[in-house]
Amino acid sequence: HRVMIWWLCLLSIAQVTGLSAAITSTRDWGESYQLAEKTLKKLSKWQKSKLIRGVGWQGWQLTPGFYVGTITGTKSAGLPWLKMQDSGNGFRAMLQQTVGTTVVWPCPLALASTWSEEAVGAQARAIGAEFRGKSANVMLGPGLNVHRIARGGRNFEYLPGEDPYLGARLARSFVEGVQSQGVMAVL
């Protein structure tokens, strides 16, 4: 029940109602929680179960037309499909037919080295537009681990580098940039 409330609150706050328009306003947590509870009361047990399991995978193979994470929506309750895709350096091409159709952006660590909230915001808006153009409405990123060991094999994927203050400043610009395109960012 708590997982479903959390998802519905996030949808309510972001007001993700599909891909028809960018997010232009937000709700507070209290109002979102009430709306989530009201929405849950409309759903059957089967519809609730669909909110906490993904679709589109056959074993380890992604089915064409689906995303890394796909949760089916419920039209009668006004819940859109959640189409979640990975993003280290942009939209992750998972299927052979999508290879070569995406932009490979500078990695988040290189972007953070600019120390520029404006540069981060500009790149994030462009990434958000690419996600939106590919019909994904949730970006699984940016990564925000603070580097403690330089040998970390995936440190390039994380925005803050070694500085939590800089990371916090840049994360805000990144999230606002992505979400200005009508795509939710998941930290």
Side-chain angles (χ1 to χ4, degrees):
H1 185 77
R2 286 185 180 167
V3 170
M4 288 181 256
I5 290 290
W6 180 79
W7 267 114
L8 293 172
C9 282
L10 289 178
L11 285 171
S12 173
I13 288 170
Q15 295 185 14
V16 174
T17 56
L19 297 174
S20 59
I23 298 166
T24 57
S25 64
T26 59
R27 293 185 177 100
D28 66 37
W29 276 102
E31 183 182 356
S32 295
Y33 191 86
Q34 289 174 350
L35 184 58
E37 287 282 3
K38 184 178 172 183
T39 301
L40 272 181
K41 289 178 183 173
K42 296 178 188 176
L43 301 176
S44 68
K45 285 185 180 183
W46 171 246
Q47 290 170 322
K48 290 176 186 176
S49 74
K50 289 178 16 176
L51 293 176
I52 57 173
R53 66 176 174 84
V55 296
W57 287 91
Q58 295 180 5
W60 291 100
Q61 297 299 314
L62 182 61
T63 305
F66 289 88
Y67 299 81
V68 168
T70 305
I71 296 176
T72 57
T74 304
K75 195 171 193 172
S76 62
L79 296 175
W81 281 51
L82 292 180
K83 303 172 200 171
M84 300 172 269
Q85 191 68 19
D86 288 337
S87 175
N89 299 32
F91 191 92
R92 180 178 172 199
M94 292 285 297
L95 301 169
Q96 186 60 38
Q97 61 264 36
T98 60
V99 172
T101 68
T102 62
V103 176
V104 179
W105 298 93
C107 70
L109 183 58
L111 186 60
S113 70
T114 67
W115 293 60
S116 170
E117 293 176 48
E118 293 78 22
V120 169
Q123 181 170 313
R125 284 187 297 279
I127 291 172
E130 181 175 17
F131 268 67
R132 187 178 168 99
K134 294 186 181 305
S135 297
N137 58 6
V138 180
M139 182 183 113
L140 301 175
L144 295 178
N145 287 352
V146 176
H147 302 178
R148 294 291 181 228
I149 300 173
R151 296 178 303 205
R154 297 183 75 169
N155 283 348
F156 71 95
E157 290 184 313
Y158 303 121
L159 190 61
E162 296 178 359
D163 187 340
Y165 177 76
L166 175 63
R169 298 287 302 254
L170 299 181
R172 179 182 179 138
S173 294
F174 198 100
V175 169
E176 288 175 350
V178 168
Q179 293 190 168
S180 74
Q181 302 303 305
V183 176
M184 289 177 23
V186 178
L187 304 176

